[in-house]
Amino acid sequence: MLWHSLNRVLDQLRPRRQGVVMLADALLILLAWHATYLFRMGVERWLHERPSYDWAVLLGVIAVYSTVSWALGVPRASWRYSSFPDITRLAWVCLGAGLACAVVILMAQLNEVPRAVLALHPVFTLIGLSLARMTVRMLSESSRARRTGAQDNGQRALVLGAGAAAKLLIAGIQHRSWTVVGLLDDDPRKHGSRIAGVTVWGGLDLLTDRANLADVSHLILAMPAATQAQRKRVLALAAATGLPVVTVPSADELREGGTRIDRVRDIQPEDVLGREPVKLDELAVSSLISGRAVMVTGAGGSIGSELCRQIARFGPSRIVLFELSEFALYQVEQDLGERFPHLPLVRLVGDVKDLAALRRAMATHQPDLVFHAAAYKHVPLMEDDNAWIALRNNTLGTYLAAQAAAEAKVQRFVLISTDKAVNPTNVMGATKRAAEMVISHWAAQGTGTRFMAVRFGNVLGSSGSVIPKFKEQIAKGGPVTVTHPEITRYFMTIPEAAQLVLQAASLAESGQVFVMDMGKSVKIADLARELIRLSGHTEAEIPIVFSGLRPGEKLYEELLADADTTLPTPHPRLRLAQLRGELPADWLPRLMALANDDSAATPAVLRNRLHELVPEYAPR
């Protein structure tokens, strides 16, 4: 109980810890001076037979010891975690300061100060300073052992943020063998206060002093309502400490109800990138979707499944899930069934290259909107042996899905495209550019269906994305492989991409291609370094290895071709691409011939003929 009260006082003094340590050490030096006189002169004489200038000598001794102590960094060390190196440093302080004091006193001919006092005072001081630190450490460890009992697994967390989320977090995680040692918050009104029995030490700038982290094994970011810019700043401070960093769920995650505030998770790339959340025109999207039947091709993929989740929020009459992979279809169906139990789902195993299956699905279920997300998108995998398959799936599949939608009089057909369709250097990008050209063809037919495309960059956490690979490599202890030190990419989160697709669908007229505001491009190597740091490691422990550009890979991605221009839209994160001219009259027959020619399965043949269809395609 005594230590608990003392601990509270120490926590409140932590922001001024170095000054308090200097004052405590000065008091111990003073006591050691008196103890030395007592040892040398006995009880009867130790107080009365001193020189008249003894008090001035004592002040000088304290000043010398304090100066040497400060120079050697003694006040920065935490008493609660004192160790042999700390005691060694104290020994050097006492030796250096003791010699300096003895030399000055002797040179000043202050002969009434006993020589034995000058010789023994450094020893008594070292004993006093060391005993004080060892006593504090012993009491601290005893208290911690009583608090955590047998469940102490070394997880001692410093919580960043001292709001309502921190209070709920502490209440939850301390029952799961975490020990919260303190909180930091930039609000000066909270400094020194206690939340759920834990003291707010001070501001986040205390993270820059390593001594404040001596008893900390993890940092927990507990600021779910903070802006992305605020979170990015705090994460930068946290990453610089070299400690593992975890976070509570964001406000969006909590609103979705899939997690709780005390369920800490690892830092995700979207926490690092600092993008502000998308603000949807909810009324426009709701009027587009509410009460209507929506079909999503590739419904089990990363983008397709998130599209389904976002669509479900706006109350469609039903969602038709069209997916080639049985397992992926099962997964998205289970997820939607759990999140939206009253939403009717139609689950269809189907291939977008099968026109009969597409016609049957649309005739039977009569969707008002079709989002075409079915595609092969892994660049190196589609570059050689699978190039012809990529063309058939990405381009022919788009043509057939659009044809079935036109025949079924679907109101809107939205193609999910990619930044790799701009000045493509790989087969995947060229096939997606050809898919955009297919959309232009169907938009010109005057069928009554509005055909449009939405183009965006890399999506964090999607299948085939570099980020899951980085996290897996870090978990295995490295190395982390990056293709090139200068390679950059645009990134956005899966929910952000899906929401902007819905927004674009509510705005678009037929034949338009929308380009998303992807923010600033990010160096992949910098992102890898940040993830390594936030995992609590250094590049010395988990190195980055550069493996070289893969087939068809660019150093820099583009969102618009050189000759394209863009126009603003009512939504600030979307722009309208004005693409070049109409298709040649024989373009479509050449596409169909290529997609049905088995001899085109040879990669070189496919690339040459694909270049004829997509002139801006420049194979590498």
Side-chain angles (χ1 to χ4, degrees), residues 146-431:
R146 287 195 301 271
R147 289 198 311 269
T148 61
Q151 293 186 343
D152 187 3
N153 60 0
Q155 294 186 131
R156 299 182 301 276
L158 178 62
V159 176
L160 312 182
K167 184 175 182 179
L168 294 172
L169 168 71
I170 294 170
I173 68 171
Q174 294 204 122
H175 297 296
R176 295 198 296 275
S177 72
W178 283 83
T179 301
V180 178
V181 299
L183 302 101
L184 299 180
D185 196 289
D186 280 338
D187 186 350
R189 295 171 298 179
K190 297 177 181 178
H191 296 174
S193 64
R194 293 178 69 82
I195 294 178
V198 181
T199 302
V200 182
W201 293 353
L204 294 166
D205 58 313
L206 293 181
L207 288 173
T208 59
D209 187 346
R210 298 286 300 175
N212 292 317
L213 308 174
D215 60 341
V216 177
S217 66
H218 289 73
L219 301 177
I220 302 179
L221 176 59
M223 303 168 64
T227 66
Q228 287 290 345
Q230 290 171 329
R231 288 172 71 87
K232 188 174 182 180
R233 170 186 168 266
V234 176
L235 286 171
L237 289 171
T241 66
L243 292 171
V245 185
V246 294
T247 184
V248 301
S250 66
D252 288 339
E253 291 171 306
L254 294 171
R255 276 195 295 270
E256 291 175 3
T259 186
R260 291 170 25 193
I261 193 70
D262 60 343
R263 302 294 181 183
V264 295
R265 61 166 173 80
D266 290 336
I267 296 296
Q268 302 297 334
E270 50 265 39
D271 298 312
V272 177
L273 293 177
R275 289 174 61 84
E276 292 298 326
V278 173
K279 295 181 180 179
L280 285 180
D281 181 351
E282 302 259 348
L283 184 61
V285 176
S286 178
S287 64
L288 174 72
I289 293 173
S290 180
R292 300 189 179 185
V294 182
M295 178 174 175
V296 179
T297 69
S302 306
I303 300 299
S305 59
E306 182 61 31
L307 268 173
C308 292
R309 284 187 284 271
Q310 297 291 339
I311 290 166
R313 294 173 46 220
F314 294 96
S317 62
R318 62 185 174 277
I319 300 180
V320 181
L321 309 172
F322 194 87
E323 171 60 55
L324 180 60
S325 167
E326 177 192 25
F327 179 64
L329 181 62
Y330 169 77
Q331 285 187 310
V332 68
E333 178 245 356
Q334 290 292 304
D335 181 53
L336 292 172
E338 182 178 336
R339 293 171 183 257
F340 308 97
H342 303 296
L343 175 63
L345 299 175
V346 179
R347 300 149 295 179
L348 301 177
V349 175
D351 188 345
V352 293
K353 300 186 293 295
D354 184 345
L355 179 58
L358 289 164
R359 282 171 167 164
R360 185 165 53 250
M362 294 189 194
T364 302
H365 303 290
Q366 299 181 336
D368 299 293
L369 306 165
V370 173
F371 291 91
H372 182 53
Y376 293 140
K377 59 188 180 63
H378 195 277
V379 170
L381 204 59
M382 297 298 113
E383 192 61 20
D384 292 312
D385 296 335
N386 298 310
W388 188 58
I389 298 300
L391 174 81
R392 286 180 52 78
N393 190 75
N394 294 357
T395 308
L396 177 64
T398 299
Y399 178 85
L400 297 177
Q403 179 180 344
E407 292 173 356
K409 301 191 182 306
V410 170
Q411 294 178 16
R412 295 177 189 240
F413 182 97
V414 183
L415 166 68
I416 310 302
S417 191
T418 170
D419 58 355
K420 293 174 178 62
V422 183
N423 294 327
T425 60
N426 51 67
V427 169
M428 193 283 283
T431 60

Side-chain angles (χ1 to χ4, degrees), residues 567-616:
L567 297 174
T569 72
H571 196 283
R573 301 287 285 274
L574 290 169
R575 293 190 67 84
L576 185 60
Q578 299 289 93
L579 300 178
R580 296 188 294 272
E582 297 183 1
L583 299 178
D586 64 341
W587 189 89
L588 190 58
R590 285 190 285 128
L591 168 65
M592 302 306 289
L594 177 58
N596 292 289
D597 185 354
D598 288 347
S599 68
T602 303
V605 173
L606 186 282
R607 289 193 187 95
N608 289 334
R609 294 177 65 180
L610 186 55
H611 174 67
E612 295 173 1
L613 289 171
V614 184
E616 60 264 44

